[in-house]
Amino acid sequence: MVQNPGTDNPIFRRNFPSTPSVFSLFFLGFTLVFFLYFSTLQPSITWYNSAELAVAGLTLNVPHAPGYPLFTRLSNLACKLPFGEEPAWRVNLLSGFLGALSAGLFSVWLNKWGRLPRIISLAASLWMVSFVTFWEEATNAEVYTLEVLLLVFLMIIGSWLSEGEVCGLKAFLCGLILTLAVGHRPTFFLLSIGAFFPIWRTGFFKRRRKRTFGYLFLGFLIGLSPHWDLYERLQNPDQFLIDPQMGAGLEGFWRFITAADFHKAFGGFSPTELLERFIGWASLIINDGGLALLMIPCLAFFSRRTKDDFQINTCVLVLIINTGFVLNYNAFEAHTMLLPTVLALCGLTAHGFVRLMGKRKNLCRFSFSVLVASSILTSSLKLSPRNRETEQFARRLVALVPKGETLLISNDVEFRPLWYLRIAHRFRQDLNIILIDSMAPEVLQKIRSKVASGGVFGSLIFPKNLRSDLEKEFLIQPLGYLSKITLPVFPHDFVSKSDPIISASLSNQAEILFYFEPKIVSMPDGNGKFSNLEHGKCRGGDVIEFSYWIKKAGLELKNLFVFTWIANSSGEPFTQNGVCLGYDFHFPFQEISGRKLLFSGFPDLIEFKRALVIPNELPRGNYEVKMLVGYCEKGILPGLITNRLDGINCLNYDGFLEVFLLKNGLNEKTLIHETKWKKINSENQYRINASVTIKLVSLEAQSN
């Protein structure tokens, strides 16, 4: 007979809530959160991994390591739902559903095993799911709400295992959920230490039944079933979301599910960088959840402790393990991996607030509810717009690419939305797509053959050396949101049919000439519809194409720069995050000199085709497209060129920057610092036309 060793231990003397009470709490928490998420679901794909995971759900293709086999199968079921026109919306609904389950179960865990009041437990779970990053991830196709759900399951099982006999059902569920969790993300092995903390010092081995480990092993085996499924799918040679060779065979499978290629991204920060990331972490917590979410947990951690504080200890361990991992892991969107941290902070906040209020129960319930309600309201105002911005970008990306041409693109942010549209809506299936993540010799040879036979287009944003490598051999011209890669041939036979509409002297002999007015090219919206605006009118996201010719170029033009921008009534460009938008900036002769062309060999008249993207947030009103031409070496413009955006959290800087460049059509342009541009624009030492800038055209911006 199994002895119960815990009669004198407070952990075995709790007055647990009744089963109906627990179920009603779960149902209330689940219903409130599901309604909250359902009403704020994204209508389609969003940036980063959303499109990739939606495509994986549609096709059962394998997303990036570790493959997320459980989520892929669940999203495949979601895609088969008989309602919802957009497949991505159905996967978004799955994320919201899993987030709502997490909230309901988390409130039960706090109430049943933490002995917190029902209203406090419910409010804490609502605080967790209304954390801005949590809310964002739960309303689009992402894996993180499943991660939180599995963690809550583990914490409930850990608390359940700490009481009474360890029967077969407990052992089976322990093995099943633990294996599913670690299979979903290998770092769950570390988080499970915190989840199973309640078992410590409860005589677990003395309380087990004879066949406990048999049931535990059975749970392990069934929990491995998503991995068996993943192994079969990895052997498919027609993979397109990942390299078909990745995951092949048992060795490749092991490297893939353990994300071995990502291990080098861990632990590479200096102490100064870690401090910066910690400050970024604290800033994120305060911005997304409020200062109280950072301060009140201290009351739970540093207050008088008892032997019954296992739930606080669990939250502290999850907080330390998850936060420590994220701060040391160099990844795009590192902030999205902090959801277990948010869960732990909300649990600690609930315990800390109860201890702060002491016996003033009614005041405690009311104050905590008001605090959470204000946090939910504040978070709702910080949510990103619910729109089709990412679909809109994908449509605009290839809007100017002729039918049947080749698109050179990295298997990342810009490829996945386009591929989702191809799979879900049969969009632009005429394009020949070359995925490129490194500039290997065979890739360069493939580009040569494609350029020789027709047009090649690309964003050229990744890998970082791609553009400079291509400029050594090809002519690269901007074309809307992309660049066109062609052979370095200049027009020798251009004969103007009329005098230039604008001309300006560059030196004793050289001139810059404009024969045509800039052209406004309408871009599609998220539904693929084009606006039909009158001449001279535009909308945010449209493209302005223009050409200029330089006559009698000489060596003195080597350091010539040309800056074209959309100017407001004060002559200043539109700015965001401390940098200019809606501009084109380049050094024409430094860019072509890399092709081993001598100045003496240039034709008498050289054409440069350029383009700029009108900022999406450009206010409605009247603007002018202006050009400033000047001399300066590329590397010594004092502070003009920057690679930093203002106001971006360091935990998501790289990811935000890549999306910022893509959606604003800046993928091939140098970032121009807002303050330094104003200074240089006012200093005549850099300018050729020092008295005035060249006005190319007037335009009227309409609201989107």
Side-chain angles (χ1 to χ4, degrees), residues 47-50 53 71 95 137 140-145 333:
W47 295 103
Y48 304 111
N49 297 326
S50 171
L53 293 169
F71 184 86
S95 293
E137 299 308 302
N140 77 90
E142 273 291 2
V143 300
Y144 298 107
T145 52
E333 283 196 297

Side-chain angles (χ1 to χ4, degrees), residues 430-568:
D430 60 284
L431 294 176
N432 175 33
I433 294 180
I434 299 178
L435 294 179
I436 177 171
D437 290 318
S438 62
M439 197 57 177
E442 60 271 17
V443 175
L444 183 58
Q445 183 57 41
K446 185 182 293 186
I447 294 173
R448 288 194 187 104
S449 62
K450 293 295 182 181
V451 170
S453 61
V456 175
F457 304 81
S459 66
L460 310 188
I461 196 171
F462 187 83
K464 292 183 178 180
N465 62 338
L466 177 60
R467 174 172 294 276
S468 58
D469 287 344
L470 292 177
E471 284 179 343
K472 298 175 183 178
E473 192 169 337
F474 304 104
L475 177 65
I476 299 177
Q477 298 174 324
L479 184 76
Y481 289 77
L482 293 171
S483 296
K484 184 177 181 179
I485 306 166
T486 63
L487 296 174
V489 178
F490 294 96
H492 289 259
D493 55 353
F494 176 81
V495 178
S496 62
K497 297 181 180 180
S498 61
D499 293 332
I501 60 175
I502 302 174
S503 63
S505 175
L506 301 180
S507 64
N508 293 333
Q509 292 183 323
E511 291 182 281
I512 183 169
L513 309 172
F514 296 86
Y515 289 95
F516 309 108
E517 185 179 276
K519 176 185 176 183
I520 299 175
V521 182
S522 176
M523 289 286 107
D525 61 15
N527 294 312
K529 297 179 180 179
F530 289 81
S531 56
N532 187 17
L533 298 176
E534 299 175 6
H535 178 73
K537 294 184 178 181
C538 65
R539 296 185 188 276
D542 287 347
V543 172
I544 298 178
E545 294 181 339
F546 61 97
S547 297
Y548 66 86
W549 284 258
I550 293 183
K551 185 177 182 180
K552 297 185 182 301
L555 289 172
E556 72 278 5
L557 300 185
K558 180 180 179 181
N559 295 325
L560 184 81
F561 71 83
V562 179
F563 188 93
T564 311
W565 77 100
I566 300 173
N568 59 19

Side-chain angles (χ1 to χ4, degrees), residues 214-497:
Y215 284 104
L216 182 69
F217 183 70
L218 179 62
F220 282 146
L221 288 179
I222 297 179
L224 286 173
S225 56
H227 276 88
W228 299 338
D229 172 56
L230 176 63
Y231 175 79
E232 291 295 327
R233 290 188 284 121
L234 276 172
Q235 310 315 306
N236 179 9
D238 297 324
Q239 294 289 338
F240 53 82
L241 288 177
I242 59 172
D243 186 333
Q245 299 303 315
M246 188 179 295
L250 290 175
E251 181 180 355
F253 172 69
W254 176 253
R255 287 183 57 83
F256 187 79
I257 64 170
T258 57
D261 292 339
F262 295 158
H263 293 175
K264 57 186 177 183
F266 185 78
F269 295 108
S270 67
T272 303
E273 290 172 325
L274 283 175
L275 177 61
E276 180 186 3
R277 290 175 69 81
F278 178 78
I279 294 173
W281 171 85
S283 174
L284 178 74
I285 299 299
I286 294 172
N287 179 74
D288 283 14
L291 181 62
L293 199 59
L294 200 61
M295 301 300 294
I296 297 178
C298 298
L299 299 174
F301 185 72
F302 293 109
S303 60
R304 183 180 177 184
R305 312 295 294 278
T306 68
K307 294 181 179 179
D308 205 18
D309 286 341
F310 77 93
Q311 200 168 79
I312 293 177
N313 295 333
T314 295
C315 289
V316 169
L317 282 174
V318 171
L319 173 65
I320 293 174
I321 291 170
N322 190 73
T323 303
F325 174 81
V326 173
L327 292 184
N328 283 277
Y329 189 61
N330 185 12
F332 278 19
E333 283 196 297
H335 68 298
T336 60
M337 301 170 68
L338 286 172
L339 268 56
T341 293
V342 176
L343 177 148
L345 284 172
C346 289
L348 290 172
T349 300
H351 279 280
F353 201 86
V354 168
R355 297 191 177 210
L356 174 66
M357 303 305 292
K359 296 182 179 181
R360 293 167 289 186
K361 296 182 179 180
N362 292 332
L363 179 61
C364 175
R365 294 186 179 98
F366 175 77
S367 301
F368 196 72
S369 299
V370 170
L371 185 63
V372 172
S374 63
S375 177
I376 295 174
L377 178 61
T378 303
S379 295
S380 67
L381 300 176
K382 296 178 180 179
L383 287 178
S384 62
R386 312 286 99 172
N387 57 27
R388 294 178 178 267
E389 179 188 63
T390 311
E391 273 195 29
Q392 177 179 270
F393 161 76
R395 294 180 185 278
R396 290 175 172 178
L397 184 71
V398 296
L400 302 181
V401 180
K403 186 176 181 180
E405 297 289 15
T406 298
L407 184 62
L408 187 66
I409 195 169
S410 69
N411 188 358
D412 202 0
V413 179
E414 67 267 44
F415 165 70
R416 293 163 184 170
L418 175 60
W419 202 261
Y420 170 79
L421 290 179
R422 285 176 65 126
I423 295 295
H425 299 288
R426 303 185 65 81
F427 174 72
R428 292 305 304 265
Q429 295 190 336
D430 60 284
L431 294 176
N432 175 33
I433 294 180
I434 299 178
L435 294 179
I436 177 171
D437 290 318
S438 62
M439 197 57 177
E442 60 271 17
V443 175
L444 183 58
Q445 183 57 41
K446 185 182 293 186
I447 294 173
R448 288 194 187 104
S449 62
K450 293 295 182 181
V451 170
S453 61
V456 175
F457 304 81
S459 66
L460 310 188
I461 196 171
F462 187 83
K464 292 183 178 180
N465 62 338
L466 177 60
R467 174 172 294 276
S468 58
D469 287 344
L470 292 177
E471 284 179 343
K472 298 175 183 178
E473 192 169 337
F474 304 104
L475 177 65
I476 299 177
Q477 298 174 324
L479 184 76
Y481 289 77
L482 293 171
S483 296
K484 184 177 181 179
I485 306 166
T486 63
L487 296 174
V489 178
F490 294 96
H492 289 259
D493 55 353
F494 176 81
V495 178
S496 62
K497 297 181 180 180

Side-chain angles (χ1 to χ4, degrees), residues 27-243:
F27 182 77
L28 180 60
F30 168 81
T31 304
L32 289 174
V33 176
F34 185 75
F35 175 78
L36 181 71
Y37 286 162
F38 184 82
S39 61
T40 56
L41 281 180
Q42 288 283 3
S44 185
I45 56 174
T46 59
W47 295 103
Y48 304 111
N49 297 326
S50 171
E52 177 191 20
L53 293 169
V55 169
L58 275 169
T59 64
L60 286 179
N61 211 267
V62 180
H64 65 278
Y68 306 108
L70 179 58
F71 184 86
T72 301
R73 278 294 175 181
L74 291 175
S75 61
N76 181 251
L77 293 175
C79 287
K80 297 176 182 178
L81 290 173
F83 53 86
E85 294 182 1
E86 191 68 50
W89 181 88
R90 299 172 202 157
V91 185
N92 298 345
L93 181 65
L94 170 66
S95 293
F97 176 78
L98 297 174
L101 285 178
S102 303
L105 291 173
F106 185 55
S107 61
V108 168
W109 183 69
L110 290 173
N111 176 241
K112 181 175 176 62
W113 284 280
R115 294 187 299 178
L116 294 178
R118 286 164 54 88
I119 188 66
I120 298 294
S121 302
L122 178 62
S125 66
L126 291 176
W127 201 344
M128 174 185 73
V129 298
S130 65
F131 189 85
V132 177
T133 300
F134 201 118
W135 199 333
E136 294 283 10
E137 299 308 302
T139 50
N140 77 90
E142 273 291 2
V143 300
Y144 298 107
T145 52
L146 176 58
E147 178 175 335
V148 174
L149 177 62
L150 291 170
L151 177 58
V152 175
F153 268 130
L154 285 178
M155 294 192 302
I156 289 176
I157 291 172
S159 301
W160 194 24
L161 285 171
S162 69
E163 59 191 38
E165 293 183 335
V166 182
C167 62
L169 178 60
K170 292 180 180 180
F172 172 78
L173 291 176
C174 176
L176 175 66
I177 302 299
L178 179 60
T179 310
L180 288 175
V182 174
H184 177 72
R185 187 184 292 276
T187 52
F188 252 104
F189 181 77
L190 298 175
L191 291 176
S192 65
I193 297 174
F196 289 138
F197 181 82
I199 300 176
W200 184 250
R201 295 181 179 177
T202 62
F204 173 80
F205 291 101
K206 294 181 180 179
R207 293 184 287 113
R208 66 180 177 85
R209 292 180 179 177
K210 291 183 178 179
R211 298 181 180 179
T212 295
F213 288 113
Y215 284 104
L216 182 69
F217 183 70
L218 179 62
F220 282 146
L221 288 179
I222 297 179
L224 286 173
S225 56
H227 276 88
W228 299 338
D229 172 56
L230 176 63
Y231 175 79
E232 291 295 327
R233 290 188 284 121
L234 276 172
Q235 310 315 306
N236 179 9
D238 297 324
Q239 294 289 338
F240 53 82
L241 288 177
I242 59 172
D243 186 333

